[in-house]
Coordinates of all heavy atoms in Angstrom, one line a residue:
S24 N 8.0 10.1 3.6 CA 6.7 10.6 4.1 C 6.7 10.9 5.6 O 6.0 11.8 6.0 CB 5.6 9.6 3.8 OG 5.4 9.5 2.4
H25 N 7.5 10.2 6.3 CA 7.6 10.4 7.8 C 8.1 11.8 8.1 O 7.5 12.5 8.9 CB 8.5 9.4 8.4 CG 8.8 9.7 9.9 ND1 7.9 9.6 10.9 CD2 10.0 10.2 10.4 CE1 8.5 10.0 12.0 NE2 9.7 10.4 11.7
F26 N 9.2 12.2 7.4 CA 9.8 13.6 7.6 C 8.8 14.7 7.2 O 8.7 15.7 7.8 CB 11.1 13.7 6.9 CG 12.1 12.7 7.5 CD1 12.6 11.7 6.7 CD2 12.6 12.9 8.8 CE1 13.6 10.8 7.3 CE2 13.5 12.0 9.3 CZ 14.0 11.0 8.6
I27 N 8.1 14.4 6.1 CA 7.1 15.4 5.6 C 6.0 15.5 6.6 O 5.5 16.6 7.0 CB 6.6 15.1 4.2 CG1 7.8 15.3 3.2 CG2 5.4 15.9 3.8 CD1 7.5 14.8 1.8
A28 N 5.5 14.4 7.1 CA 4.5 14.3 8.1 C 4.9 15.1 9.4 O 4.1 15.8 10.0 CB 4.1 12.9 8.4
C29 N 6.1 14.8 9.8 CA 6.6 15.5 11.0 C 6.7 17.0 10.8 O 6.4 17.8 11.7 CB 8.0 14.9 11.4 SG 7.8 13.2 12.1
T30 N 7.2 17.4 9.7 CA 7.3 18.9 9.4 C 5.9 19.5 9.3 O 5.6 20.6 9.9 CB 8.0 19.1 8.1 OG1 9.3 18.5 8.2 CG2 8.2 20.6 7.8
W31 N 4.9 18.8 8.7 CA 3.6 19.3 8.6 C 3.0 19.4 10.0 O 2.3 20.4 10.3 CB 2.8 18.3 7.7 CG 1.3 18.6 7.6 CD1 0.3 17.8 8.1 CD2 0.7 19.7 7.0 NE1 -0.9 18.4 7.8 CE2 -0.7 19.5 7.1 CE3 1.2 20.8 6.3 CZ2 -1.6 20.5 6.5 CZ3 0.3 21.7 5.8 CH2 -1.1 21.5 5.9
Y32 N 3.2 18.4 10.8 CA 2.7 18.5 12.2 C 3.4 19.6 13.0 O 2.7 20.4 13.7 CB 2.9 17.1 13.0 CG 2.4 17.2 14.4 CD1 1.0 17.2 14.6 CD2 3.3 17.4 15.4 CE1 0.6 17.3 15.9 CE2 2.8 17.5 16.7 CZ 1.4 17.5 17.0 OH 1.0 17.6 18.2
F33 N 4.7 19.8 12.8 CA 5.4 20.9 13.5 C 4.8 22.2 13.1 O 4.6 23.1 14.0 CB 6.9 20.8 13.2 CG 7.6 22.1 13.7 CD1 7.9 22.2 15.0 CD2 7.9 23.1 12.8 CE1 8.6 23.3 15.5 CE2 8.6 24.2 13.2 CZ 8.9 24.3 14.6
L34 N 4.5 22.4 11.8 CA 4.0 23.7 11.4 C 2.6 23.9 12.0 O 2.3 25.0 12.4 CB 3.8 23.7 9.9 CG 5.1 24.0 9.1 CD1 4.8 23.8 7.6 CD2 5.6 25.4 9.3
G35 N 1.8 22.9 12.1 CA 0.5 23.0 12.7 C 0.5 23.2 14.2 O -0.4 23.9 14.8
A36 N 1.4 22.6 14.9 CA 1.4 22.6 16.3 C 2.3 23.6 16.9 O 2.2 23.9 18.1 CB 1.9 21.2 16.9
S37 N 3.1 24.3 16.1 CA 4.1 25.2 16.7 C 3.5 26.5 17.2 O 4.1 27.2 18.0 CB 5.1 25.6 15.6 OG 4.6 26.2 14.6
G38 N 2.3 26.9 16.7 CA 1.7 28.1 17.1 C 2.2 29.4 16.4 O 2.0 30.5 16.9
I39 N 2.9 29.1 15.3 CA 3.5 30.3 14.5 C 2.3 31.2 14.0 O 2.4 32.4 14.1 CB 4.3 29.8 13.3 CG1 5.5 29.0 13.8 CG2 4.6 30.9 12.4 CD1 6.3 28.3 12.7
D40 N 1.3 30.6 13.6 CA 0.1 31.3 13.1 C -1.1 31.1 14.1 O -1.1 30.1 14.8 CB -0.3 30.9 11.7 CG 0.7 31.4 10.7 OD1 0.8 32.6 10.5 OD2 1.4 30.5 10.1
S41 N -2.0 32.0 14.1 CA -3.1 31.9 15.1 C -4.0 30.7 14.9 O -4.6 30.1 15.8 CB -3.9 33.1 15.1 OG -4.5 33.3 13.8
W42 N -4.1 30.2 13.6 CA -5.0 29.1 13.3 C -4.2 28.1 12.5 O -3.4 28.4 11.7 CB -6.3 29.5 12.6 CG -7.3 28.5 12.6 CD1 -7.7 27.7 11.5 CD2 -8.1 28.1 13.7 NE1 -8.7 26.9 11.9 CE2 -9.0 27.0 13.2 CE3 -8.2 28.4 15.0 CZ2 -9.9 26.4 14.0 CZ3 -9.1 27.8 15.8 CH2 -9.9 26.8 15.3
S43 N -4.4 26.8 12.7 CA -3.7 25.8 12.0 C -4.5 24.5 11.8 O -5.6 24.4 12.4 CB -2.4 25.4 12.8 OG -2.8 24.7 14.0
W44 N -4.0 23.6 11.0 CA -4.8 22.4 10.8 C -4.9 21.5 12.1 O -5.9 20.9 12.3 CB -4.1 21.5 9.7 CG -2.9 20.8 10.0 CD1 -1.6 21.3 9.9 CD2 -2.7 19.5 10.6 NE1 -0.7 20.4 10.3 CE2 -1.4 19.3 10.8 CE3 -3.7 18.6 11.1 CZ2 -0.9 18.1 11.4 CZ3 -3.2 17.4 11.6 CH2 -1.8 17.2 11.8
V45 N -3.9 21.6 13.0 CA -4.0 20.9 14.2 C -5.1 21.4 15.1 O -5.9 20.7 15.7 CB -2.6 21.0 15.0 CG1 -2.8 20.4 16.4 CG2 -1.5 20.3 14.2
R46 N -5.3 22.7 15.2 CA -6.4 23.3 15.9 C -7.7 23.0 15.3 O -8.7 22.7 16.0 CB -6.2 24.8 16.1 CG -5.0 25.1 17.0 CD -4.8 26.6 17.2 NE -3.6 26.8 18.0 CZ -3.0 27.9 18.1 NH1 -3.5 29.0 17.6 NH2 -1.9 28.0 18.8
E47 N -7.8 23.1 14.0 CA -9.0 22.7 13.3 C -9.4 21.3 13.6 O -10.5 21.0 13.9 CB -8.8 22.9 11.8 CG -10.0 22.6 10.9 CD -11.1 23.6 11.0 OE1 -10.9 24.7 11.4 OE2 -12.2 23.3 10.6
L48 N -8.4 20.4 13.5 CA -8.7 18.9 13.8 C -9.1 18.8 15.2 O -10.0 18.0 15.5 CB -7.4 18.1 13.5 CG -7.5 16.6 13.7 CD1 -8.5 16.0 12.7 CD2 -6.2 16.0 13.6
S49 N -8.5 19.5 16.1 CA -8.9 19.4 17.5 C -10.4 19.8 17.7 O -11.1 19.2 18.6 CB -8.0 20.2 18.4 OG -6.7 19.7 18.4
M50 N -10.8 20.8 17.0 CA -12.2 21.3 17.1 C -13.2 20.3 16.6 O -14.2 20.1 17.1 CB -12.3 22.6 16.4 CG -11.5 23.8 17.0 SD -12.0 24.2 18.6 CE -13.5 25.1 18.3
I51 N -12.8 19.7 15.4 CA -13.7 18.7 14.8 C -13.7 17.4 15.5 O -14.8 16.8 15.8 CB -13.3 18.6 13.3 CG1 -13.5 19.9 12.5 CG2 -14.1 17.4 12.6 CD1 -12.9 19.9 11.2
A52 N -12.5 16.8 15.7 CA -12.5 15.4 16.2 C -12.3 15.3 17.7 O -12.3 14.2 18.2 CB -11.3 14.7 15.5
R53 N -12.1 16.4 18.4 CA -11.9 16.4 19.8 C -10.7 15.5 20.2 O -10.8 14.6 21.0 CB -13.1 15.9 20.6 CG -14.4 16.7 20.2 CD -14.6 17.8 21.1 NE -16.0 18.4 21.0 CZ -16.2 19.6 20.4 NH1 -15.2 20.3 19.9 NH2 -17.4 20.0 20.3
V54 N -9.6 15.7 19.6 CA -8.4 14.9 19.8 C -7.2 15.7 20.3 O -6.1 15.4 20.0 CB -8.0 14.1 18.5 CG1 -9.0 13.1 18.1 CG2 -7.7 15.1 17.4
E55 N -7.4 16.5 21.3 CA -6.4 17.4 21.8 C -5.2 16.6 22.3 O -4.1 17.1 22.2 CB -6.9 18.3 22.9 CG -8.0 19.3 22.5 CD -9.4 18.8 22.5 OE1 -9.6 17.7 23.0 OE2 -10.3 19.5 22.0
D56 N -5.4 15.5 23.0 CA -4.3 14.8 23.7 C -3.9 13.5 23.0 O -3.0 12.9 23.4 CB -4.7 14.5 25.1 CG -5.0 15.7 25.9 OD1 -4.3 16.7 25.7 OD2 -5.9 15.7 26.8
D57 N -4.5 13.2 21.9 CA -4.2 11.9 21.2 C -3.1 12.1 20.1 O -3.4 12.3 19.0 CB -5.5 11.3 20.6 CG -5.3 9.9 20.1 OD1 -4.2 9.4 20.2 OD2 -6.3 9.3 19.7
I58 N -1.9 12.0 20.5 CA -0.8 12.2 19.6 C -0.7 11.2 18.5 O -0.4 11.5 17.4 CB 0.6 12.3 20.4 CG1 1.7 12.8 19.5 CG2 0.9 10.9 21.0 CD1 1.6 14.2 19.1
S59 N -1.1 10.0 18.8 CA -1.1 8.9 17.7 C -2.1 9.3 16.6 O -1.8 9.1 15.4 CB -1.4 7.6 18.3 OG -2.7 7.5 18.8
Y60 N -3.3 9.8 17.0 CA -4.2 10.2 15.9 C -3.7 11.4 15.1 O -3.8 11.4 13.9 CB -5.6 10.5 16.6 CG -6.7 10.8 15.6 CD1 -7.3 9.8 14.9 CD2 -7.0 12.2 15.2 CE1 -8.3 10.1 13.9 CE2 -8.0 12.4 14.3 CZ -8.6 11.4 13.6 OH -9.6 11.6 12.7
R61 N -3.1 12.4 15.8 CA -2.6 13.5 15.1 C -1.4 13.1 14.2 O -1.3 13.6 13.1 CB -2.1 14.6 16.1 CG -3.4 15.3 16.7 CD -3.0 16.4 17.7 NE -2.5 15.7 18.9 CZ -1.8 16.3 19.8 NH1 -1.4 17.6 19.7 NH2 -1.5 15.7 20.9
Y62 N -0.5 12.2 14.6 CA 0.6 11.7 13.8 C 0.0 11.0 12.6 O 0.5 11.2 11.4 CB 1.6 10.9 14.6 CG 2.6 10.2 13.6 CD1 3.6 11.0 13.1 CD2 2.5 8.9 13.2 CE1 4.5 10.5 12.2 CE2 3.4 8.4 12.3 CZ 4.4 9.2 11.8 OH 5.3 8.7 10.9
T63 N -0.9 10.1 12.8 CA -1.4 9.3 11.6 C -2.2 10.2 10.6 O -2.1 10.0 9.4 CB -2.3 8.1 12.1 OG1 -3.3 8.6 12.9 CG2 -1.5 7.1 12.8
T64 N -2.8 11.3 11.2 CA -3.4 12.2 10.3 C -2.4 13.0 9.5 O -2.6 13.2 8.3 CB -4.3 13.2 11.1 OG1 -5.3 12.5 11.8 CG2 -5.0 14.2 10.2
A65 N -1.3 13.4 10.1 CA -0.2 14.1 9.4 C 0.4 13.1 8.3 O 0.7 13.5 7.2 CB 0.9 14.6 10.3
L66 N 0.6 11.9 8.7 CA 1.2 10.9 7.8 C 0.2 10.7 6.6 O 0.7 10.6 5.4 CB 1.5 9.6 8.5 CG 2.2 8.5 7.6 CD1 3.5 9.0 7.1 CD2 2.3 7.2 8.4
H67 N -1.0 10.5 6.9 CA -2.1 10.4 5.8 C -2.0 11.6 4.9 O -2.0 11.4 3.7 CB -3.4 10.2 6.5 CG -4.5 10.1 5.5 ND1 -5.9 10.2 5.9 CD2 -4.6 9.8 4.2 CE1 -6.6 10.0 4.8 NE2 -5.9 9.7 3.8
W68 N -1.9 12.8 5.5 CA -1.8 14.0 4.6 C -0.6 13.9 3.7 O -0.7 14.2 2.5 CB -1.8 15.3 5.5 CG -1.6 16.5 4.7 CD1 -2.6 17.3 4.2 CD2 -0.4 17.1 4.3 NE1 -2.0 18.3 3.5 CE2 -0.7 18.2 3.6 CE3 1.0 16.8 4.6 CZ2 0.3 19.1 3.0 CZ3 1.9 17.7 4.1 CH2 1.6 18.8 3.3
S69 N 0.6 13.6 4.3 CA 1.8 13.6 3.5 C 1.7 12.5 2.4 O 2.2 12.8 1.3 CB 3.0 13.3 4.4 OG 3.1 12.0 4.8
L70 N 1.1 11.4 2.6 CA 0.9 10.4 1.5 C 0.0 10.9 0.4 O 0.2 10.6 -0.7 CB 0.4 9.1 2.1 CG 1.4 8.3 3.0 CD1 0.8 7.2 3.8 CD2 2.6 7.9 2.2
T71 N -1.0 11.6 0.8 CA -2.0 12.1 -0.2 C -1.3 13.1 -1.1 O -1.8 13.4 -2.2 CB -3.3 12.7 0.4 OG1 -2.9 13.8 1.2 CG2 -4.0 11.6 1.2
Q72 N -0.3 13.8 -0.7 CA 0.4 14.7 -1.5 C 1.1 14.1 -2.7 O 1.4 14.7 -3.7 CB 1.4 15.6 -0.7 CG 0.7 16.3 0.4 CD -0.5 17.1 0.1 OE1 -0.5 18.0 -0.8 NE2 -1.6 16.7 0.7
F73 N 1.5 12.8 -2.6 CA 2.2 12.1 -3.6 C 1.3 11.2 -4.4 O 1.8 10.5 -5.3 CB 3.3 11.2 -3.0 CG 4.4 12.1 -2.5 CD1 4.4 12.6 -1.2 CD2 5.5 12.4 -3.3 CE1 5.4 13.4 -0.7 CE2 6.6 13.2 -2.8 CZ 6.5 13.7 -1.5
T74 N 0.0 11.2 -4.2 CA -0.9 10.3 -4.9 C -2.2 11.2 -5.3 O -2.3 12.3 -4.7 CB -1.4 9.2 -4.0 OG1 -2.1 9.7 -2.9 CG2 -0.2 8.3 -3.5
P75 N -3.0 10.6 -6.1 CA -4.2 11.4 -6.4 C -5.3 11.3 -5.4 O -6.5 11.6 -5.6 CB -4.7 10.8 -7.8 CG -4.1 9.4 -7.8 CD -2.8 9.5 -7.0
A76 N -5.0 10.8 -4.2 CA -6.0 10.7 -3.1 C -6.4 12.1 -2.6 O -5.6 13.1 -2.7 CB -5.4 9.8 -2.0
S77 N -7.5 12.1 -1.8 CA -7.9 13.4 -1.2 C -7.8 13.3 0.3 O -7.7 12.2 0.8 CB -9.3 13.8 -1.7 OG -10.2 12.8 -1.2
M78 N -7.9 14.5 0.9 CA -7.8 14.5 2.4 C -8.6 15.7 2.9 O -8.6 16.7 2.3 CB -6.3 14.7 2.7 CG -6.0 14.8 4.2 SD -6.3 13.2 5.0 CE -5.7 13.6 6.6
E79 N -9.3 15.5 4.0 CA -10.1 16.6 4.6 C -9.2 17.6 5.4 O -9.7 18.7 5.7 CB -11.2 16.0 5.5 CG -10.7 15.4 6.8 CD -10.3 13.9 6.6 OE1 -10.5 13.3 5.5 OE2 -9.9 13.3 7.6
V80 N -8.0 17.3 5.6 CA -7.1 18.2 6.3 C -6.4 19.1 5.2 O -5.8 18.6 4.3 CB -6.0 17.5 7.1 CG1 -4.9 18.4 7.7 CG2 -6.6 16.7 8.3
V81 N -6.6 20.4 5.4 CA -6.1 21.3 4.4 C -5.3 22.5 5.1 O -5.5 22.7 6.3 CB -7.2 21.9 3.5 CG1 -7.9 20.9 2.7 CG2 -8.2 22.6 4.4
P82 N -4.4 23.2 4.4 CA -3.7 24.3 5.0 C -4.7 25.3 5.6 O -5.7 25.7 4.9 CB -2.9 24.9 3.9 CG -2.9 23.8 2.8 CD -4.1 23.0 3.0
Q83 N -4.4 25.8 6.8 CA -5.2 26.8 7.4 C -4.5 28.2 7.6 O -5.2 29.1 8.1 CB -5.6 26.3 8.8 CG -6.4 25.1 8.8 CD -7.8 25.2 8.3 OE1 -8.4 26.3 8.4 NE2 -8.3 24.3 7.6
N84 N -3.3 28.3 7.2 CA -2.6 29.6 7.3 C -1.5 29.7 6.2 O -1.2 28.7 5.5 CB -2.0 29.7 8.7 CG -1.0 28.6 9.0 OD1 -0.1 28.4 8.3 ND2 -1.3 27.9 10.2
P85 N -0.9 30.8 6.0 CA 0.1 31.0 5.0 C 1.3 30.0 5.1 O 1.8 29.5 4.0 CB 0.6 32.4 5.1 CG -0.6 33.1 5.8 CD -1.2 32.1 6.7
S86 N 1.8 29.8 6.3 CA 3.0 28.8 6.4 C 2.6 27.4 5.9 O 3.4 26.8 5.2 CB 3.4 28.8 7.9 OG 3.8 30.0 8.4
E87 N 1.5 27.0 6.3 CA 1.1 25.6 5.9 C 0.8 25.6 4.4 O 1.2 24.6 3.7 CB -0.2 25.2 6.6 CG 0.0 25.0 8.1 CD -1.3 24.7 8.9 OE1 -2.4 24.8 8.3 OE2 -1.2 24.5 10.1
R88 N 0.3 26.7 3.8 CA 0.0 26.7 2.4 C 1.3 26.7 1.6 O 1.5 25.9 0.6 CB -0.8 27.9 2.0 CG -1.1 27.9 0.5 CD -2.5 28.5 0.1 NE -3.6 28.3 1.1 CZ -4.5 27.3 1.0 NH1 -4.4 26.4 0.0 NH2 -5.5 27.2 1.8
V89 N 2.3 27.4 2.0 CA 3.6 27.4 1.3 C 4.3 26.1 1.4 O 4.8 25.5 0.4 CB 4.6 28.5 1.9 CG1 6.0 28.4 1.5 CG2 4.0 29.9 1.6
F90 N 4.2 25.4 2.6 CA 4.8 24.1 2.7 C 4.0 23.1 1.8 O 4.7 22.2 1.2 CB 4.7 23.6 4.2 CG 5.3 22.3 4.4 CD1 6.7 22.1 4.3 CD2 4.5 21.2 4.7 CE1 7.2 20.8 4.5 CE2 5.0 19.9 4.9 CZ 6.4 19.7 4.8
T91 N 2.7 23.2 1.7 CA 2.0 22.3 0.9 C 2.4 22.5 -0.6 O 2.6 21.5 -1.3 CB 0.4 22.6 1.0 OG1 0.1 22.4 2.4 CG2 -0.4 21.7 0.1
I92 N 2.5 23.7 -1.0 CA 3.0 23.9 -2.4 C 4.4 23.3 -2.6 O 4.6 22.7 -3.6 CB 3.0 25.4 -2.7 CG1 1.5 25.9 -2.7 CG2 3.7 25.7 -4.0 CD1 1.4 27.5 -2.7
A93 N 5.3 23.5 -1.7 CA 6.6 22.9 -1.8 C 6.6 21.4 -1.9 O 7.3 20.8 -2.7 CB 7.5 23.4 -0.6
V94 N 5.7 20.8 -1.1 CA 5.6 19.3 -1.1 C 5.0 18.9 -2.4 O 5.5 17.9 -3.0 CB 4.8 18.8 0.1 CG1 4.4 17.3 -0.1 CG2 5.5 19.0 1.4
I95 N 4.0 19.6 -3.0 CA 3.4 19.2 -4.2 C 4.4 19.3 -5.4 O 4.5 18.5 -6.2 CB 2.2 20.0 -4.5 CG1 1.1 19.6 -3.5 CG2 1.7 19.8 -6.0 CD1 -0.2 20.5 -3.6
V96 N 5.2 20.4 -5.4 CA 6.3 20.5 -6.4 C 7.3 19.4 -6.2 O 7.7 18.8 -7.3 CB 7.0 21.9 -6.2 CG1 8.2 22.0 -7.1 CG2 6.0 23.0 -6.6
L97 N 7.7 19.0 -5.0 CA 8.6 17.9 -4.8 C 8.0 16.6 -5.4 O 8.6 15.8 -6.0 CB 8.9 17.7 -3.3 CG 9.8 16.5 -2.9 CD1 11.2 16.6 -3.5 CD2 9.8 16.4 -1.4
A98 N 6.7 16.4 -5.1 CA 6.0 15.2 -5.6 C 6.0 15.1 -7.1 O 6.2 14.1 -7.7 CB 4.6 15.2 -5.0
V99 N 5.8 16.3 -7.8 CA 5.8 16.3 -9.2 C 7.2 16.0 -9.7 O 7.3 15.2 -10.7 CB 5.3 17.7 -9.7 CG1 5.6 17.9 -11.2 CG2 3.8 17.9 -9.4
M100 N 8.2 16.6 -9.1 CA 9.6 16.3 -9.6 C 9.9 14.8 -9.4 O 10.6 14.3 -10.2 CB 10.5 17.2 -8.8 CG 10.4 18.6 -9.2 SD 11.5 19.9 -8.4 CE 12.5 19.0 -7.3
C101 N 9.5 14.2 -8.3 CA 9.8 12.8 -8.0 C 9.1 11.9 -8.9 O 9.6 10.8 -9.2 CB 9.5 12.5 -6.6 SG 10.6 13.2 -5.4
T102 N 7.9 12.2 -9.4 CA 7.2 11.3 -10.2 C 7.3 11.6 -11.7 O 6.7 10.8 -12.5 CB 5.7 11.3 -9.8 OG1 5.2 12.7 -10.0 CG2 5.4 10.9 -8.4
S103 N 8.0 12.6 -12.1 CA 8.1 13.0 -13.5 C 9.2 12.2 -14.1 O 10.2 11.8 -13.6 CB 8.4 14.4 -13.7 OG 7.3 15.2 -13.3

């Protein structure tokens, strides 16, 4: 989950797309400089992909959506 969380955070923070979950979180929670909050949010997101839990952080651009789909497929394969 740590590697998935780090990749999810990288996609959101890299600036590849104009809008991302990191920018959305910064607007909502005002956590621009709090790396620990952003990391635990990414870790929480990665754990919810392998369980039936929900999460308010969702993909905001095509790169994040493709990564989310890949993680969900991986989760299905691991739990089948």
Side-chain angles (χ1 to χ4, degrees):
S24 291
H25 168 75
F26 295 112
I27 291 172
C29 288
T30 304
W31 177 245
Y32 179 74
F33 171 77
L34 281 174
S37 66
I39 294 172
D40 290 294
S41 61
W42 196 252
S43 69
W44 75 267
V45 172
R46 290 185 185 164
E47 178 75 17
L48 182 67
S49 294
M50 297 293 287
I51 294 170
R53 308 265 192 254
V54 292
E55 294 88 7
D56 298 326
D57 191 358
I58 190 70
S59 64
Y60 185 79
R61 289 182 281 163
Y62 172 74
T63 55
T64 301
L66 183 61
H67 182 194
W68 176 88
S69 72
L70 291 170
T71 62
Q72 302 311 300
F73 289 87
T74 64
S77 63
M78 178 68 175
E79 68 273 0
V80 173
V81 295
Q83 298 290 326
N84 60 55
S86 302
E87 292 174 357
R88 184 145 327 264
V89 168
F90 182 70
T91 300
I92 292 167
V94 170
I95 291 170
V96 169
L97 175 66
V99 168
M100 290 179 359
C101 287
T102 58
S103 294

